[in-house]
Amino acid sequence: MVPRSLIRRFSSSPFSFSKQVEVTTTIPEDSVHKVSQLDKFLKREWKDGKFTLNEARYFFDYMIHMQPAPQIKSFNWLFGALAKKKFYEDVILLCKRVDSIGLLPDFITFSILINCFCNVGRVCDAFVVFGKILRWGFNPNAVILNILIKGLCLDNRSMEAMEFLKKMVVFGVRPNEITYGTLINGLCRTGNTTVALKLLEEMANGNGEGGVTCKPDIFCYSSIIDCLCKDGLIVKAKELFLKMRGKGIKPNVVVCNSLIFGWCLLGNLQEAERMFIEMENQGLQQTAVTFNTMINGFSQVEKMEEANGYLELMTQKGLQPDVVTFTTLINGLCKVGKMEEAKGLLELMSERGLQPNVVTFTTMINWLCKEGKMEEANCLFEMMTQRGLQPDVVTYTALISGLYKVGKMEEANRLLELMSERGLHPNVVTFTAMINGLCKEGKIEEANGLFVTMTQRGLQPDVVTFTTLISGLCRVRKMEEANGLLELMSQRGLHLGLVAFRTLISGLCKAGKIEEANGLLVLMIKRGLQPKTYTYIRLSLFEPPKYPQGAADAEMVLKSSIRRFSSSSRSSFRKLGKVTTTTPEDSARKVSQLNKFLHKDCKEGNVTLDEARYFFRYMIQMKPPPPTSSFSLLFGALAKNKFYKDVVLLYKRADSIGLLTDLITLNILINCFCHGGRVCDGFVAFGRILRLGFDPNAVTLTSLIKGLCLENRSTEAMEFLKKMIVFGVRPNEITYGTLMYGLCRTGKTSVALKLLEEMTNGNGEGGDTCKPDIFCYSSVIDGLCKDGLIDKAKDLFSEMRGMGIKPDVVVCTTLIYGWCFVGNLEEAELLFKEMENMGLQPNAVTFTTLIIGLCKDGKTEEANRLFKLMSQRGLQPNVMAFNAIINGLCKKGKIEEARRYLKSMIKRGLHPDLVTFNTLIGGLCKEGKMEEANGLLELMGKKGLQPNVVTFTTLISGFCKVGKMEKANGLLEMMTQKGLQPNVVTFNTMISKLCEEGKMLEANQYLQLMTQRGLQPDVVMFSTLISGFCKVGKMEEANGLLEMMSQRGLQPNVVTFTTLISGLCKVGKMKEANRLLDMMSQRGLEPNVVTYTTLINGFCKVGKIEEANGLLDLMSQKGLQPNVVTFNTLISGLCKVRKMEEANGLLELMSQRGLQPDVVTFNSLISGLCKVGKIEEANGLLELMMQRGLQHNATTFNTLISGLCKVGKMEDANRCLELMTQRGLQPDAVTFTTLISGFCKVGKMEEANGLLELMKQRGLQPNVVTYNTLISGFCKVGKMDKVDGLLKFMSEIGLQLDVVTFNTIINRFCNEWKMEDANRYLELMTQRGLQPNVVTYTTLIGGLCKVGKVDEAMGYLKLMIQKGLQPNLVTFNTLISGFCKAGKMEEANELLELMSRRGLQPNTQTYTTLMEGFCLIGRYDEASELLTSMEKNGCKIDIKYSTLINANRKNQEIGRMQ
């Protein structure tokens, strides 16, 4: 049986393996026991947290089915325990189930539910529950308040949380310290530190919303101190710290760490050290965070000795340095140029078992790039990906910057593409690095282009970006453009730094524009920037500096220089902003620019985020403000460009300053909320529409319906539509189309179809005012095609055309997909051709869809032609199209062609994805090309692709197939290292191979490992394990697994039972196998042909042909058609017991049932005929095979050759060998060994030896059986010198002699009475580690008996029994014969008794030998008794001894009468 340790608790909740069995391995049926378990769980285990999600679900299911149901507090205990373990989504689902069965929740239930909603970011839903609390008459308390405030803060809505607090205080809900602490923490997190400070003061003074009942605690102070320190306001933080201490609040480690961080941030390490020492004085234990902060502080100012000192102190205090510690030190060492020491620390991390993270690697890469060591940086980058770490934007930026510095622009651009492929977007620093590189190379136009691209992507260039580009422009003396950038900086609120001023002054001087340079110098001084000596020298080389008296003069100089160059700079930076490149003083002109922007650019969608922000700022400052429609135009343009979050933010700003809103604006806002996944907020905006008295229109309705559908809430969308129609809001075609699309996406195609019919017939909610359009039809057709309802989709397509609606490419492509989905490629190709007749041009998606369909159907040639046609029509095949072709080719085994497509992909600039690599790896694994498959895994890493579970599972399966289990194990470990969780398929693959190899212990270990990782074994895995145990004959373990399946609620299938039946048949347990057949029927499982065939094979193997025949009849009764394998199995069984007539009868029955006999059928019959000596008939069958066109195999000829050899027809056997080669079949080792055996039997040793040489010439390696056959032949003819020669040769070629070899030689010596030689070989046999078997000992016993050494022979019998060998009939008969010949009849008779005790039935030879012995010495009475025993045991009686004994009886009777 399977050990109990494998069976975990609560098996009814399938496969919960979290802990050892504590209650029961199956669900107890006794309800009292169940209730006690529930009580124990609720009152003890949930408090300890020692339970799993599956256990909680199990008890929940039990509780809701209890009659009467438990009180709601029991459910609350369960929900609370789950919430503590952060199973928030599960609590929400379980609460819904409680609600659905009509069980009323209480205040605690609502509190738990609100907490769960807030923790999963669903604050709107939390407030819905809060509304229920108020409606049901519950009084909210501080706990509810805390949870909701925390939820708002987690959603970065701390100001709303502040307002909510004020409202709750008004309604009598009193906040506590936790409430204020949570709110203060949220305010600080969102940058509202001043508000948090004010709140703290109100708490401390007792004059705020909470009154004097609530004073600040350590958490309130620590939140603000931490925020002040991070903002660099350390003095204020220290004041607050002292105030806190003055109020008697003892500082904790967190507060001290924050202050240390603040001092380090400002570079005041003395104060930081003072605080560090003070911590110890106050009895506070420094943590790893404290030390890391200090180490970072000293590393930042390049004091590495002091940093190392803190590292040593850290270890002395028993604290282990972590990844942050090492990363900080590595950064510091790199700063001071000690790269080798930094590398040493990286190695030390690995030695200590610490995994360097992305920051660690990025730090090293950044510094290597700064030093121009790009090869080393690239090596580290590759190492990162190999370790399963995903490089971030900073990593890529460092590498791109380094490559630009060393002039490797192409490599840098490739890296930028790779970055985008991985879903990472370059930031301002990335673009600045690239602009800097281009400027240094003098490629100003390209740098300008990047600058424009940057702004188009919504990125705001910073001072460094502007300075870099200004510097580049100055180098090539494009001063007008440089000044234009200077103006643009001012407009964006950015101020030049010292470097930028110096660069511009230098550029102006070089261009001979000294006046403008002087003006900049004055402005520089005015802004508090101190020019360096270099700046004065640069100016003095051209003209002595002139300093105007006032600041106004400085501004005048600057403005004059700007005006001079602004006209030319406008054209260069047109794309950055159509108005923003200058600041016109004429307001009328500005208004006209605004109108142009709103009424032309916004309508055309030709706007950038920066432009929109600029004009928005201008609009809200206008007096009077522009009409609401202007804002609507701007918001609409942004929404079209998918800047949804920005629209929301701008709307809030407009609303905050009291600008009026209209329906259009609110519709745009609803649209943005819905696209941003904030449908709840969308409905809040909808509420505002109603409150303001606007009438919602179809646009409002469509936006909200789309939002609900995007969140897979199509049923709610449907209900909302009905409500709106009742309230007079009329939907349009777009509304219905949107809803239909949403319904189809969520699998509600039938509802969408009904809605379409209502629209068509005009009898639905929308009446006859709204008819379906192409979008409505295409949505439903798409849903039908995906559901496989292609005929219905076709009917709808025809109906659409009948209504005069012209199909578009989308509808046609959808239908093509549908036909491909159901495997009807003819219809798909027909529609593809028909598209051109309709005037429709198939697009890339159409081509790709059909290519995928053709490849799935194995029509790779047609797919290839379509692929080429696609390219001819100017359509670029995408990755999906390439993947489809590659997959199709791999399925057909055309791996090289598939690889050519991979190369073509790369050449076309397409990047193979995971699917591409996984497909190719799968193809190579199927072909057994594991080295090449492994090579692709490495290539994936180089391409920056992370292998997934499918990749590893495919490779593991491949290595398992070729028997390389070590490699497979290595890949399994690599998966875990990369943070990937092997799935059930992965483990199934490993377990399957181990079972195949009979390594059941290892297979069982993998099963345990799998369950420990929380994976649930399925029916396939159990069936595999059962099969494995059956193969190695461990039927008890196999049966145990069957029981375990039932305990875990898994239903064994036909395959499982058939596997177990097969195992029982193999070990000859036919009764148990038959019992399983009955069990299958009892469980409602119908045995299939394989099941019956397996049983038939089992009965044939044990010689029970009648039972096997009975099963064949039973199959026919059950309506199952026996297949060729079934008949072959039974024919083979009949042939083995030499029932050839019945076998031939089955052959006829096969033909009657329309089954064609195959090679196996004929081979079995030929073998049977050869066994009974009917060689001619066997030859006839061979000819019949040829007539029927059956390709006979080597087995056919081997069987026939064996039959001919058995009857001594060696010439015919030789002819068979010739015929075999003529038919193109290669004789194998079996063929030659059979022929050699035949020649040996007839004593033709030269011919036998010649065949051995021929065998070697043909490249076949003779095995031990071949040599044993020859040795046996030479022994028979007495050529022992030849035997010695063969033995020597076998040793030379490293072929191990086996027991048969030694038995053959020992037998020869025993026959020649050379017992010393026989014993010598026995010793040699044991020296070579071979154990003598029953044949060995029987042969020696026979030899010793021949020479009269019966006592020694008896010694060998005793030795056999001691070694656990079972002497057989031959052994006993030989020894009995020896004792009888020696006249030791008592001993012979004792052996007869020993035979019976050991369960051996004496045969005719046994009795005859003993009777002869007794008769020879005149003991006829004993002989007569033996004769009587023979008759009782049904042994055949020898007439000679019967007559002799009966004559003796008569003589004795006559003697008594006389």
Side-chain angles (χ1 to χ4, degrees), residues 952 955-960 963-977 982 986-987 989-991 993-994 997 999 1002-1003 1005-1006 1009 1013:
F952 279 105
L955 280 164
I956 286 167
S957 176
F959 279 116
C960 285
K964 293 185 177 180
M965 292 305 292
E966 285 184 12
K967 284 269 190 184
N969 274 320
L971 283 168
L972 195 67
E973 285 176 21
M974 193 191 292
M975 274 184 86
T976 311
Q977 287 168 9
T986 319
F987 280 104
T989 304
M990 295 288 290
I991 287 169
K993 184 60 183 178
L994 289 165
E997 293 181 354
K999 295 176 179 177
E1002 291 94 322
Q1005 285 169 352
Y1006 272 109
L1009 176 64
R1013 293 190 177 187

Side-chain angles (χ1 to χ4, degrees), residues 1034-1074:
K1034 293 187 177 181
M1035 296 312 299
E1036 286 186 15
E1037 286 84 345
N1039 275 317
L1041 283 170
L1042 187 68
E1043 287 175 22
M1044 192 191 289
M1045 283 182 78
S1046 301
Q1047 288 169 5
R1048 292 181 179 176
L1050 281 176
Q1051 180 65 36
N1053 57 21
V1054 176
V1055 176
T1056 318
F1057 275 105
T1058 304
T1059 303
L1060 203 48
I1061 287 167
S1062 175
L1064 290 165
C1065 290
K1066 280 177 184 173
V1067 295
K1069 294 185 177 181
M1070 297 311 298
K1071 284 184 182 177
E1072 289 90 332
N1074 237 351

Side-chain angles (χ1 to χ4, degrees), residues 551-567:
D553 296 327
E555 289 288 346
M556 181 190 67
V557 173
L558 180 63
K559 282 183 180 179
S560 65
S561 63
I562 288 169
R563 286 195 198 97
R564 193 171 293 136
F565 305 117
S566 62
S567 58

